[in-house]
Amino acid sequence: MCCDLKRRFLLLYATQKGQAKAIAEEICLQAGTHGFEADMHCLSEMDKYNLETEKDPVVIVISTTGTGDPPDTARKFVKKIRDKTLPPDHLAHLQYGLLGLGDSEYTFFCNGGKTVDRLLQELGAQHFYDTGLADDCVGLELVVDPWIDGLWLALEEVFLLQKEKEGMSNDVIADPHVGHEMNLSSKIQNLNLGDEGVRNSDGPSHKLLDINVVASTTDTEPSLVHSVPPISQSALNIPALPPEYIEVQFQDTHGENPHPSSLVSEGTTFEVPVTKASRLTREDAVKTALLLELDIANTAFDYQPGDAFCVICPNNVSEVEELLRILGLSERGENFVCIKVKQDTKKKGATRPQHIPERCTLKFILTWCLELRAIPKKAFLRALVECTSNAGEKRRLQELCSKQGASDYTHFIRESNVCLLDLLHAFPSCKPSLNLLIEHLPKLQARSYSVSSSNLYQPGKLCFVFNIVEYPACPTRPILRKGVCTGWLAELVAPLLHTNKDTLDMKSYPTEKISIFSRPNNTFHLPSDPSVPFVMVGPGTGIAPFIGFLQHRQKLREEHTDWEFGETWLFFGCRHQDRDYLFKDELRCFLENGTLTHLKVCFSRDSSMGEVAQPKYVQDVIRLCAKEVARVLLKESGYFYVCGDKKHMADDEWEAFSRMTNQSVFGMYCF
């Protein structure tokens, strides 16, 4: 490898929550150590790159959002390369590698990356490296880390072939990772992302710390703060230390913070009052489901049944106060801060975080701008190592961010939903700076919910349903935590629900308001032709959007008595008939007035009273009705909608049902 020549490649990313950008930054950071120079840009910055004239290899990191859509930052790019007037060889000169991020719990896994990959191929672009699809459900790092490790070998091949074409192959010195130059092509073709042979072996490693310092001999089980052999006795390959690039300056306490809605760039926001709150489950139910009604009558907010919308929510107040206390900044919470990029930073392309206003208080930043509950990335753990004074704690953080500690990271960090506060409690000698948190904590995201109403049925109203998410106490988290948004919403309406355990009209009480913005869904709407039949599958709170469907259908039936309406099926399941049967009375009414043709329900925790065992799960009921459902979908070209968690529909039943319906499954929305 030529040490005196940096070989450039174009590095593009599109992110919704910051993960794709963080991975692109890691690639950019590693590039220099391998003799490459990454020219990094967001896909939205189309004035800074041009694929039509690009001669160097291109690396793309892209996430997926919504129901399989590319991120908002990739919309213009996708629209451009989707242009049907472009010739099939428009990008035939382009060589690229793509890393897609997704979550297999959603139906359209990694569809953002798959869409861009397919469109580039249709325009003649060629892979120089196999596409990687990383699954956030099991851990992005399981694919991301080996994909990045293999990337350098693939880039070596590209530049070697370029030099051979230029007649300069004799000037190239083989990379020590690669072996003989003539074997590069076969190595690339046989590259296996799970093969340890392609893993980078020259990353920074650390010698074994004194084992007596790291762990007590009485500890035999690993935990967040303690390791056991072999990792406790291994030398470690840890990531390079990310360069700091943020400078924070405290100012006075005079002035006003911006409104949280100003942080949203996705569209118009609306501040709307909560006009009603209902508890849909009994107090002894495993989960607590709430329904909130919003008044949108005096706004331009519009929606269709099946749409989603986003709620702008803050971090938990007590968690913000606790973090300020640990950082030693409790007295500075109301101070305004100025955030700048360090002049001497070594981070390429460093920019000021756009999700933080130019002028706001420290408490505002921690409350509205940063995702305090985010699971710390390995790069963040690596940075925290330098802020930790205790040798044992420092060693354990090194292990958790190392390649050797991948399984410990997955189990004790990722699967345990550990956040920054958990780490600071577990490693009390870790004292990170404020600028480090701003650099590594991602943007606090608005939370998305399905609409559970019809504007035709309830003009000026928008309803939605949610379970209050709870994270129980465990060894890595000593206290129970509720979801950021669901916990906040529940607390917002708690006094009203406690006054009346079931339903409370809020007119006689102070009106609480929340900020929302629209998130339209183009693939999860009722059939445009009302005569087309459809099947709905909605276990648990997955029933929410279908209440809007049925309200809309009922109103259409009332207003258009001469129309022909197709039959409707609803499959619903919950744990107990008397505890969490959501919308029981409403469904009975829909059934009685003919809006709903068939209602099939099951209860997984109730005992069967008859001689014949009753089906316990939605997929079991679907199998019993397979012939009728197949008729609706295959013979009558009906629509099929799923809203729920695909993970909890057994794989064999799901696959069997998919085979039964073949290509007639039109609408799916899994969360």
Side-chain angles (χ1 to χ4, degrees):
M1 182 171 62
C2 292
C3 298
D4 59 345
L5 178 63
K6 291 286 186 180
R7 294 160 294 176
R8 173 191 176 274
F9 66 92
L10 178 62
L11 176 58
L12 303 174
Y13 68 88
T15 189
Q16 192 71 24
K17 297 183 178 181
Q19 294 192 110
K21 181 180 180 182
I23 292 169
E25 289 175 339
E26 175 64 22
I27 293 174
C28 188
L29 188 64
Q30 290 190 29
T33 64
H34 291 273
F36 299 104
E37 182 173 5
D39 183 11
M40 189 176 80
H41 302 287
C42 179
L43 273 175
S44 62
E45 300 175 310
M46 299 177 68
D47 59 326
K48 297 182 179 179
Y49 67 91
N50 187 354
L51 295 188
E52 295 173 351
T53 59
E54 184 61 56
K55 296 180 180 180
D56 293 326
V58 178
V59 175
I60 302 172
V61 184
I62 180 171
S63 61
T64 298
T65 188
T67 53
D69 302 317
D72 295 339
T73 52
R75 286 183 179 178
K76 291 183 179 179
F77 176 81
V78 171
K79 182 179 180 181
K80 181 176 181 179
I81 62 174
R82 188 173 264 154
D83 187 349
K84 297 298 183 182
T85 64
L86 297 175
D89 61 348
H90 185 67
L91 296 177
H93 62 283
L94 194 70
Q95 298 185 80
Y96 75 99
L98 185 143
L99 176 61
L101 313 182
D103 189 326
S104 60
E105 287 191 16
Y106 290 76
T107 302
F108 302 103
F109 171 62
C110 277
N111 199 57
K114 291 177 180 177
T115 297
V116 170
D117 201 12
R118 173 178 53 80
L119 293 173
L120 290 175
Q121 291 281 301
E122 290 176 357
L123 293 176
Q126 301 293 319
H127 288 128
F128 75 84
Y129 186 35
D130 287 342
T131 296
L133 301 177
D135 187 359
D136 200 28
C137 178
V138 298
L140 294 174
E141 66 278 357
L142 297 181
V143 168
V144 171
D145 289 351
W147 193 89
I148 294 176
D149 288 342
L151 174 63
W152 315 120
L153 181 65
L155 285 169
E156 285 288 345
E157 166 73 358
V158 173
F159 285 102
L160 175 65
L161 293 177
Q162 283 184 359
K163 285 184 175 291
E164 287 179 345
K165 290 180 180 179
E166 298 169 1
M168 298 172 59
S169 59
N170 292 332
D171 296 331
V172 179
I173 302 174
D175 186 288
H177 299 108
V178 178
H180 196 275
E181 296 170 0
M182 298 305 292
N183 294 325
L184 275 172
S185 181
S186 62
K187 285 179 180 286
I188 292 293
Q189 293 174 2
N190 296 319
L191 185 61
N192 183 339
L193 292 183
D195 184 359
E196 292 293 328
V198 302
R199 290 180 174 268
N200 184 7
S201 61
D202 68 347
S205 62
H206 290 249
K207 294 183 178 181
L208 183 65
L209 293 178
D210 187 342
I211 302 303
N212 294 322
V213 173
V214 177
S216 167
T217 56
T218 59
D219 294 326
T220 58
E221 295 296 328
S223 67
L224 174 63
V225 298
H226 168 68
S227 62
V228 297
I231 186 173
S232 63
Q233 298 176 348
S234 300
L236 304 174
N237 292 93
I238 64 174
L241 181 64
E244 294 187 2
Y245 67 97
I246 289 295
E247 180 179 307
V248 180
Q249 297 175 347
F250 285 97
Q251 300 178 335
D252 55 36
T253 59
H254 304 296
E256 292 185 1
N257 283 309
H259 193 277
S261 62
S262 66
L263 304 176
V264 177
S265 59
E266 288 88 341
T268 305
T269 60
F270 302 90
E271 191 174 31
V272 296
V274 182
T275 51
K276 188 178 291 187
S278 305
R279 177 169 179 150
L280 303 181
T281 51
R282 223 168 63 177
E283 289 189 356
D284 57 350
V286 174
K287 296 181 179 181
T288 300
L290 300 182
L291 179 145
L292 300 190
E293 178 188 271
L294 309 179
D295 184 357
I296 60 171
N298 297 320
T299 73
F301 189 95
D302 192 23
Y303 70 91
Q304 296 183 53
D307 277 345
F309 70 100
C310 290
V311 175
I312 302 172
C313 60
N315 285 307
N316 182 273
V317 174
S318 62
E319 292 177 27
V320 171
E321 296 291 347
E322 176 68 2
L323 182 57
L324 285 171
R325 184 192 66 79
I326 293 175
L327 297 177
L329 296 173
S330 296
E331 304 301 320
R332 294 289 193 98
E334 300 302 332
N335 282 84
F336 282 78
V337 295
C338 177
I339 298 175
K340 298 179 179 180
V341 175
K342 285 186 174 182
Q343 291 185 351
D344 59 347
T345 181
K346 296 180 180 179
K347 180 180 174 66
K348 293 183 178 180
T351 58
R352 188 182 172 284
Q354 296 302 303
H355 54 277
I356 299 179
E358 290 187 2
R359 181 168 170 79
C360 61
T361 63
L362 172 57
K363 188 173 288 187
F364 182 90
I365 293 174
L366 297 181
T367 302
W368 293 101
C369 303
L370 302 179
E371 189 83 60
L372 300 188
R373 293 278 191 86
I375 296 174
K377 303 296 182 187
K378 289 187 177 182
F380 194 6
L381 297 181
R382 176 65 184 88
L384 291 177
V385 168
E386 305 305 309
C387 310
T388 306
S389 57
N390 178 274
E393 294 177 9
K394 182 187 289 279
R395 164 72 190 199
R396 185 54 176 154
L397 286 172
Q398 289 172 332
E399 291 171 351
L400 290 169
C401 70
S402 70
K403 291 184 178 181
Q404 291 80 0
S407 61
D408 275 13
Y409 174 85
T410 298
H411 182 64
F412 297 114
I413 301 287
R414 181 179 179 78
E415 293 178 352
S416 299
N417 285 294
V418 163
C419 65
L420 172 64
L421 268 177
D422 297 324
L423 286 178
L424 296 181
H425 284 139
F427 301 93
S429 75
C430 182
K431 303 294 182 182
S433 61
L434 178 59
N435 67 284
L436 199 68
L437 304 192
I438 294 174
E439 290 171 2
H440 287 276
L441 287 174
K443 175 185 177 182
L444 177 59
Q445 298 289 331
R447 268 47 175 182
S448 179
Y449 296 94
S450 296
V451 171
S452 184
S453 55
S454 163
N455 216 355
L456 186 64
Y457 184 88
Q458 295 178 280
K461 303 294 182 183
L462 183 153
C463 296
F464 67 106
V465 176
F466 59 89
N467 283 326
I468 301 177
V469 178
E470 292 187 345
Y471 301 98
C474 64
T476 57
R477 183 177 46 255
I479 60 172
L480 178 144
R481 286 204 185 107
K482 294 182 179 180
V484 173
C485 191
T486 61
W488 172 65
L489 290 171
E491 187 175 339
L492 203 65
V493 302
L496 310 163
L497 291 174
H498 290 159
T499 304
N500 184 322
K501 293 183 180 179
D502 298 318
T503 302
L504 182 75
D505 192 329
M506 300 171 69
K507 292 181 180 178
S508 58
Y509 289 83
T511 303
E512 299 288 355
K513 292 185 177 182
I514 63 175
S515 294
I516 64 173
F517 59 93
S518 179
R519 190 83 179 174
N521 190 319
N522 297 324
T523 61
F524 201 79
H525 290 152
L526 283 165
S528 56
D529 181 354
S531 67
V532 174
F534 57 89
V535 177
M536 301 167 284
V537 181
T541 53
I543 194 176
F546 302 133
I547 297 301
F549 277 24
L550 293 171
Q551 288 180 353
H552 200 79
R553 173 56 64 93
Q554 178 176 318
K555 195 64 178 177
L556 288 176
R557 284 167 55 87
E558 293 172 357
E559 295 181 350
H560 304 281
T561 56
D562 57 329
W563 284 11
E564 178 185 351
F565 292 91
E567 62 181 297
T568 55
W569 290 69
L570 174 62
F571 292 88
F572 172 77
C574 61
R575 287 179 173 83
H576 300 282
Q577 183 174 4
D578 59 346
R579 300 183 195 177
D580 48 11
Y581 188 167
L582 308 184
F583 298 103
K584 180 178 180 179
D585 294 337
E586 290 86 344
L587 293 176
R588 184 184 297 114
C589 290
F590 288 136
L591 200 59
E592 290 174 353
N593 64 32
T595 300
L596 182 59
T597 315
H598 304 278
L599 175 62
K600 304 295 181 181
V601 297
C602 58
F603 311 100
S604 62
R605 301 298 188 270
D606 286 345
S607 301
S608 299
M609 303 300 293
E611 295 181 1
V612 180
Q614 297 298 311
K616 290 184 174 293
Y617 300 101
V618 166
Q619 59 266 25
D620 299 327
V621 184
I622 293 174
R623 293 179 68 191
L624 293 176
C625 301
K627 185 177 295 185
E628 292 89 342
V629 173
R631 170 185 56 79
V632 170
L633 299 179
L634 303 180
K635 293 185 178 181
E636 301 179 22
S637 301
Y639 278 38
F640 177 73
Y641 302 89
V642 179
C643 185
D645 190 344
K646 178 179 178 288
K647 181 176 65 174
H648 293 113
M649 295 184 70
D651 288 340
D652 53 344
E653 279 88 353
W654 179 269
E655 292 174 5
F657 185 65
S658 297
R659 287 196 300 271
M660 179 190 74
T661 55
N662 199 13
Q663 299 299 317
S664 296
V665 179
F666 288 92
M668 291 187 180
Y669 181 65
C670 293
F671 56 82

